[in-house]
Amino acid sequence: MVNQTGHIDQIKQLNTGIVYRIIDQHGPISRIALSKQAQLAPASITKITRELMDAHLIKELEFPVLGLRGRPAVGLVIESEGWQFLAIRIEGQKLTISLKEINAVTLAQTEYPFTPLGNSEFIDFLSELISQFFASQQKILERVTAISILIDGILDPHTGVIYQHSSFKIHQLAIAEYLTKQTGLPVYLHPPVDALALMDLFSHQEKRKEKNIIYLQLQNVVNVMVLNHGTTLDTNTHRPILFGHTQCEPEQNNVCYCGSYDCLETHTSIPAILQQANNLLINYPDSFLHQQDISMDKICAGAILNDSLCVYLINKVAQQLAKPLALMVNLLGSQLILVNSPLNQDSDLFLKCLHKHINKLSIPLYSSTLAIEKSTFSIKDSETSLIQRALYDGSLLLQLLQG
């Protein structure tokens, strides 16, 4: 009987999430059309939509129907006013807190310097800033439903634990559990790559023919998210993906903050590329990079000019990334690799190099049809996507419906 109850609850969560997602993506939509798209019986649609309307999560809206005269049709749309969440973004030595409506509209935003060291200082400082932010926004606070946190490092979204972070000297910090106890709100802790991949999914899912996708983030960190027909790999495994901590070039003995040596991130992240450029500059006396301070903008600009050092750096990074990516393509049969990186900005050289090296290392059955494309979303753009997924899968919706 217990198992059956759990099963019913899961079905309710799933169906409620499906209905909400379709209304969000296609509203205003009639109940008849909603029933067809959701593949649910009209009686089920009536029950679910009534609950969502009673909770002020959806509402009816009149809209004209082309080619028909008379009264406009009545459709369902998302009602986001008053439903809010807190989006926290930690990048470098700054922390940004935003108060957003669940439709992604930003109501208030404040940026703070953030330089704690150690678990206690980190959690105390973060809690203090959240309290300050709430106090400063009392006039516009309504129904705050959740907290979303985006931070790099080695962390587990499913337990809400930050295991390691190089800048803040964190070790096994159960941040989600702590903040939930403090605020009473569910906490969604994720690395930025998760939010970036979901943002791309929600924006392009219906028109993109490839459904088996690797999303690569190459910035100050290196990480991937795997998407298969709209589901992220970690949804099923409940294990974080630590792509950037795959070992490469073991002879270099670069120490990584994770405790290992020569992790992929120590060779292919943006700081690593800039360090290599500085180290190699003496060997390229005619390089474009001698004329100015070295940055990723300058390296990409130099590559367009066919500067030998800039081209070498970009090709080397592509070559180092290609081996683990090719292994993933062979294992997963991936159809598309989306790349989010400053290396995308000025030309397609990086994507072409990456494609060339992956083709050499992966089976032709998959590499012959593999596409590699740019993704241009910023972390700031994507900070709503974690809450959006929690609404679409019904998990957050049920909490809101239950009060």
Side-chain angles (χ1 to χ4, degrees):
M1 196 57 133
V2 173
N3 290 338
Q4 181 66 22
T5 302
H7 182 58
I8 292 171
D9 288 343
Q10 290 169 8
I11 292 173
K12 180 179 179 181
Q13 174 182 317
L14 176 64
N15 290 346
T16 304
I18 289 171
V19 168
Y20 183 90
R21 174 179 57 80
I22 293 171
I23 294 172
D24 190 24
Q25 294 178 338
H26 301 284
I29 183 170
S30 69
R31 286 174 174 80
I32 295 174
L34 179 59
S35 176
K36 290 179 180 178
Q37 286 213 35
Q39 297 183 348
L40 293 171
S44 297
I45 293 294
T46 299
K47 183 176 185 299
I48 292 171
T49 55
R50 184 187 299 120
E51 289 183 343
L52 292 173
M53 289 182 71
D54 289 345
H56 302 286
L57 286 160
I58 65 172
K59 62 183 179 182
E60 291 182 330
L61 183 72
E62 291 186 346
F63 64 99
V65 179
L66 293 177
L68 295 179
R69 296 181 179 180
R71 295 180 60 186
V74 175
L76 298 169
V77 296
I78 296 302
E79 183 175 5
S80 57
E81 187 176 350
W83 289 105
Q84 303 167 343
F85 72 95
L86 212 61
I88 299 175
R89 196 171 71 250
I90 303 173
E91 298 175 283
Q93 294 186 320
K94 67 178 182 180
L95 179 146
T96 305
I97 303 181
S98 303
L99 181 66
K100 292 177 174 286
E101 289 187 335
I102 58 174
N103 64 351
V105 173
T106 301
L107 303 173
Q109 181 174 290
T110 306
E111 185 178 297
Y112 306 91
F114 193 65
T115 57
L117 289 176
N119 286 17
S120 296
E121 193 173 324
F122 183 95
I123 205 162
D124 290 345
F125 197 3
L126 177 58
S127 299
E128 180 185 340
L129 293 179
I130 292 173
S131 297
Q132 284 183 25
F133 183 82
F134 277 142
S136 67
Q137 306 300 334
Q138 280 294 328
K139 291 182 180 179
I140 60 173
L141 286 177
E142 295 191 49
R143 292 167 290 189
V144 181
T145 61
I147 298 175
S148 163
I149 302 176
L150 294 180
I151 182 172
D152 290 320
I154 299 176
L155 53 91
D156 186 346
H158 302 282
T159 59
V161 174
I162 304 174
Y163 286 103
Q164 287 175 294
H165 194 289
S166 56
S167 300
F168 302 126
K169 309 302 180 186
I170 295 173
H171 181 66
Q172 293 190 0
L173 176 60
I175 186 69
E177 181 183 0
Y178 179 87
L179 289 178
T180 295
K181 286 180 179 178
Q182 291 290 103
T183 64
L185 300 172
V187 175
Y188 298 89
L189 171 76
H190 283 262
V193 68
D194 291 10
L196 289 165
L198 289 171
M199 183 68 185
D200 192 280
L201 172 69
F202 296 144
S203 300
H204 302 296
Q205 182 176 22
E206 296 202 3
K207 59 185 178 183
R208 179 176 281 145
K209 68 176 190 280
E210 298 92 354
K211 302 302 180 185
N212 194 349
I213 301 167
I214 298 172
Y215 193 101
L216 170 67
Q217 177 196 14
L218 195 163
Q219 296 170 0
N220 287 344
V221 299
V222 178
N223 209 348
V224 301
M225 175 48 70
V226 177
L227 296 159
N228 187 275
H229 289 269
T231 301
T232 59
L233 177 62
D234 66 327
T235 299
N236 295 320
T237 64
H238 283 205
R239 301 286 288 174
I241 298 173
L242 302 174
F243 176 80
H245 298 279
T246 305
Q247 192 180 65
C248 71
E249 298 193 14
E251 74 279 0
Q252 298 295 316
N253 289 321
N254 289 344
V255 180
C256 180
Y257 70 90
C258 74
S260 189
Y261 291 87
D262 291 304
C263 290
L264 194 60
E265 196 168 289
T266 67
H267 293 272
T268 61
S269 65
I270 298 306
I273 296 170
L274 296 178
Q275 183 61 50
Q276 290 174 53
N278 277 293
N279 293 343
L280 293 170
L281 198 56
I282 192 172
N283 300 328
Y284 293 83
D286 298 327
S287 175
F288 166 82
L289 298 181
H290 282 283
Q291 302 172 20
Q292 53 242 308
D293 293 336
I294 296 176
S295 67
M296 287 311 306
D297 289 344
K298 303 305 181 190
I299 291 174
C300 291
I304 291 174
L305 298 173
N306 205 31
D307 179 275
S308 55
L309 175 55
C310 298
V311 171
Y312 170 80
L313 289 167
I314 290 175
N315 184 65
K316 184 179 180 183
V317 171
Q319 192 170 22
Q320 290 172 317
L321 287 166
K323 188 171 184 179
L325 285 172
L327 180 60
M328 292 181 72
V329 169
N330 281 350
L331 289 172
L332 303 171
S334 305
Q335 302 163 298
L336 172 66
I337 298 176
L338 290 168
V339 181
N340 190 301
S341 173
L343 288 172
N344 289 345
Q345 58 189 318
D346 288 318
S347 75
D348 292 330
L349 175 63
F350 176 64
L351 301 188
K352 290 177 180 176
C353 290
L354 190 60
H355 212 159
K356 177 184 72 175
H357 292 301
I358 290 176
N359 282 347
K360 291 178 182 177
L361 297 169
S362 59
I363 185 170
L365 175 65
Y366 295 145
S367 62
S368 61
T369 57
L370 179 69
I372 303 181
E373 299 175 4
K374 300 177 184 180
S375 175
T376 57
F377 293 109
S378 69
I379 296 172
K380 180 180 178 180
D381 295 334
S382 64
E383 61 187 1
T384 307
S385 59
L386 300 175
I387 302 300
Q388 193 173 357
R389 177 173 67 174
L391 291 167
Y392 285 2
D393 68 22
S395 57
L396 182 55
L397 276 179
L398 286 194
Q399 294 184 54
L400 303 185
L401 290 173
Q402 292 164 3

